């Protein structure tokens, strides 16, 4: 996942959490506010009904013409009177006026109200569970009770406050033993809450839609801005790092370095780093060129010194032979002896030149199929012939005919075995030789128990004319020629010191398909 996507998701999550908390607090605040407003409305309605009841009580009740639907109150002593015209009038006390007004309010969908008591005269005024609990608390000193009820899926607020006995109340309730100031009962006011809660739900949905739209807009804006201001610039900087130093410094990266922000600072540091790398590379190239020239001159000096030594010695001897033959031209025996010495000197010079040509020659070697194990065994027996102090241990695991540069490999084995025998000297030792096939490669390892190769000479042993032998014991071309032959066969020749002593030479050459060898033949 890309950095800008993670950043936008993080911002969206934080925004969503913030809106969630705000939404919860707003919803709770709206509910509290609606409940508080409904409570104030219920209190206002309570006081209006209380004042109406007081007005009715102050006028000793109200009288209405008796007619269908306007019946008398059976719980009053003077429930009906007759006027001068003969019309019967029925009396309405505060409790009955309260009930009838509540019925009118219920038909209009407004709040309802009723009076109740723990000891009512009219059974219709008996309290329900909420009213009974409120009346009991009023008896203990409570001033009001408020609750939210859910009945048949509808919410309503119920407010109840106590009604105290006044002087006008004694006309109806004196027989029940009440005195002025006693709690006669209470009046319950019920306010429907469904419309208010429905409005809260509408507001919550609107807030939710606004929150979702805001999160989407903010996330999209942040995504675009982050992509323009951060992601693309970082991508450009990363691309410049990947393509450096092949394509150099892109022009837009120089423009990024002019901006005063973190990415601009990073671009400037990258440019400074590239400048230091360029300077270091130039210095390194100059130093490498100097070292190369020094090594080339040193190698040329060793080559010239080696060639001079290998050719000058036999030439000096041959010059002496020629001078002697001139002085003794009448002695046939001396002439024949010196001619033989001249021939040996020429052969020695020829051998040196031939080895030099083998090092630089690039033509392909002759590939033949044969018994590599048998060839290795013959070379080692020839090298170790007459040396009883040397123990020869062979672990030859090829055991089949393979196609390889057989003659070149024979010369390499003779050189490696000869060097191993000379390294162990007169004291002798153990010479271990193993061969095996590793896939399509032939691997041969020659291990001796000599003193090993000094660490200072390890990088020079394959150079022409480099030798640690005494003058006249070696030309310093054996390992160089062997290395050249193995490389011309497409293989590798390496050397290392064995533990605890001795040297190990490992050669690896690829085998040739017998069909390819037949076609070349």
């Amino acid at each position: 996942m890309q950095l800008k996507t993670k950043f936008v998701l993080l911002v969206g999550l934080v925004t969503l959490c913030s809106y969630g908390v705000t939404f919860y607090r707003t919803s709770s605040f709206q509910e509290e506010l609606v409940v508080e407003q409904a409570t104030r409305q219920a209190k206002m309605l309570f006081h209006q009904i209380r004042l109406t009841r007081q007005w009715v009580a102050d006028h000793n009740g109200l009288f209405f013409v008796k007619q269908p639907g306007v019946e008398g109150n059976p719980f009053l002593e003077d429930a009906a009177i007759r006027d001068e015209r003969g019309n019967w009038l029925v009396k309405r006390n505060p409790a009955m006026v309260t009930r009838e007004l509540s019925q009118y309010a219920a038909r209009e969908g407004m709040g309802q109200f009723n009076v109740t008591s723990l000891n009512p005269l009219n059974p219709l005024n008996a309290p329900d569970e909420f009213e009974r609990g409120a009346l009991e608390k009023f008896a203990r000193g409570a001033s009001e009770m408020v609750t939210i009820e859910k009945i048949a899926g509808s919410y309503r607020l119920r407010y109840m406050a106590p009604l105290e006995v006044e002087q006008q109340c004694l006309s109806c309730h004196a027989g029940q033993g009440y005195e002025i100031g006693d709690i006669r009962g209470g009046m319950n006011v019920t306010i429907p809450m469904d419309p208010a809660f429905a409005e809260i739900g509408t507001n919550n949905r609107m807030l939710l839609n606004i929150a979702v739209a805001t999160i989407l807009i903010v996330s999209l804006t942040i995504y675009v801005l982050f992509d323009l201001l951060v992601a693309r610039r970082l991508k450009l900087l990363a691309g410049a790092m990947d393509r450096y130093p092949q394509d150099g410094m892109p022009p837009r990266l120089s423009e990024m370095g002019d901006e005063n922000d973190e990415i601009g600072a990073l671009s400037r540091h990258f440019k400074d780093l590239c400048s230091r790398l360029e300077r270091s590379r130039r210095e390194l190239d100059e130093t490498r060129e100097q070292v190369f020239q020094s090594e080339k001159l040193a190698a040329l000096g060793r080559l010239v010194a080696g060639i001079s030594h290998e050719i000058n010695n036999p030439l000096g001897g041959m010059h002496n032979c020629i001078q002697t033959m001139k002085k003794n031209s009448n002695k046939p025996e001396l002439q024949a002896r010196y001619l033989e010495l001249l021939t040996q000197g020429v052969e020695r010079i020829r051998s040196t030149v031939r080895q030099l040509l083998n090092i630089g020659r690039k033509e392909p070697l002759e590939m033949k199929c044969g018994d590599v194990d048998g060839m290795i065994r013959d070379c080692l027996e020839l090298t170790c012939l007459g040396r009883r102090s040397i123990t020869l241990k062979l672990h030859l695991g090829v055991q089949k005919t393979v196609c390889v540069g057989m003659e070149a490999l024979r010369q390499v084995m003779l050189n490696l075995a000869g060097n191993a025998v000379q390294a162990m000297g007169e004291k002798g030792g153990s010479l271990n030789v193993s061969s095996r096939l590793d896939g399509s490669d032939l691997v041969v390892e020659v291990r001796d128990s000599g003193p090993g190769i000094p660490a200072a000479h390890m990088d020079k042993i394959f150079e022409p004319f480099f030798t640690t032998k005494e003058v006249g014991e070696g030309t310093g071309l054996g390992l160089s020629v062997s290395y050249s032959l193995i490389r011309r066969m497409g293989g590798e020749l390496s050397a290392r010191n064995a533990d605890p002593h001795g040297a190990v030479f490992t050669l690896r050459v690829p085998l040739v398909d017998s069909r390819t060898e037949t076609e070349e033949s």
Side-chain angles (χ1 to χ4, degrees), residues 52-300:
T52 302
R53 288 170 52 86
Q54 184 177 355
W55 176 77
V56 173
D58 289 342
H59 292 80
N60 199 21
L62 301 177
F63 288 87
F64 300 92
V65 178
K66 185 178 181 181
Q67 57 185 349
V70 182
E71 304 295 338
N73 189 343
F75 300 99
L76 297 177
E77 296 180 358
D78 50 351
I81 60 175
R82 195 169 187 175
D83 61 6
E84 297 175 351
R85 298 179 181 180
N87 297 322
W88 284 96
L89 302 177
V90 293
K91 186 178 182 180
R92 291 289 185 264
N93 64 340
M96 199 166 183
V97 170
T98 302
R99 184 181 302 106
E100 291 180 354
L101 289 177
S102 177
Q103 293 173 358
Y104 274 85
R107 285 197 298 266
E108 294 294 329
M110 301 173 61
Q112 299 179 1
F113 39 86
N114 64 285
V115 292
T116 183
S117 174
L118 294 176
N119 187 22
L121 293 177
N122 188 351
L124 295 178
N125 294 332
D128 58 14
E129 183 177 356
F130 166 74
E131 294 170 340
R132 182 178 299 277
L135 291 172
E136 292 175 353
K137 291 184 178 181
F138 294 158
R140 295 194 294 269
S143 62
E144 61 182 8
M145 282 289 295
V146 180
T147 187
I148 300 292
E149 291 183 347
K150 183 177 181 181
I151 299 177
S154 299
Y155 290 93
R156 61 183 186 178
L157 180 139
R158 299 188 69 180
Y159 173 83
M160 190 170 179
L163 295 175
E164 297 182 358
V165 176
E166 298 180 357
Q167 182 64 41
Q168 298 85 349
C169 302
L170 295 178
S171 60
C172 298
H173 300 287
Q176 292 179 300
Y178 290 108
E179 295 181 357
I180 296 176
D182 292 342
I183 302 299
R184 170 70 184 90
M187 183 166 60
N188 171 46
V189 179
T190 303
I191 303 296
M193 301 296 293
D194 286 340
F197 285 162
E199 185 176 356
I200 292 176
T202 302
N203 293 336
N204 290 340
R205 287 191 294 271
M206 182 180 64
L207 290 175
L208 182 61
N209 294 333
I210 294 175
V212 172
T214 304
I215 291 174
L216 292 177
I217 294 174
V218 170
S219 300
L220 181 60
T221 304
I222 292 176
Y223 183 88
V224 173
L225 292 177
F226 190 88
D227 182 71
L228 292 176
L229 300 179
V230 179
R232 291 189 181 181
R233 299 170 66 195
L234 288 178
K235 186 177 181 181
L236 177 61
L237 182 60
M241 291 179 179
D242 292 337
R243 293 187 297 272
Y244 182 82
Q246 290 82 5
D247 298 342
M249 192 72 63
R252 292 187 59 188
L253 192 62
S254 301
E255 298 175 1
M256 288 173 52
D258 297 335
E259 301 183 12
N260 295 322
D261 57 5
E262 289 76 5
I263 299 180
L266 182 61
S267 302
R268 291 193 294 272
H269 287 301
F270 175 66
K271 290 172 57 179
D272 295 340
L273 176 61
C274 293
S275 300
R276 293 196 298 271
L277 289 177
E278 291 290 342
R279 185 169 57 254
S280 299
R281 185 172 62 177
R282 288 194 297 270
E283 295 175 355
L284 183 61
D285 290 340
E286 294 174 359
T287 305
R288 185 187 297 112
E289 183 65 24
Q290 295 175 359
V291 172
F292 175 73
Q293 293 295 335
S294 300
E295 291 181 350
K296 185 166 64 174
L297 292 176
L300 181 61

Side-chain angles (χ1 to χ4, degrees), residues 372 398 409 435-437 440-444 507-509 511:
V372 174
V398 178
L409 191 60
S435 65
R436 58 186 173 86
L437 293 179
S440 60
D441 294 343
L442 169 66
V443 180
V444 180
L507 63 91
R508 176 186 290 267
V509 293
L511 300 178

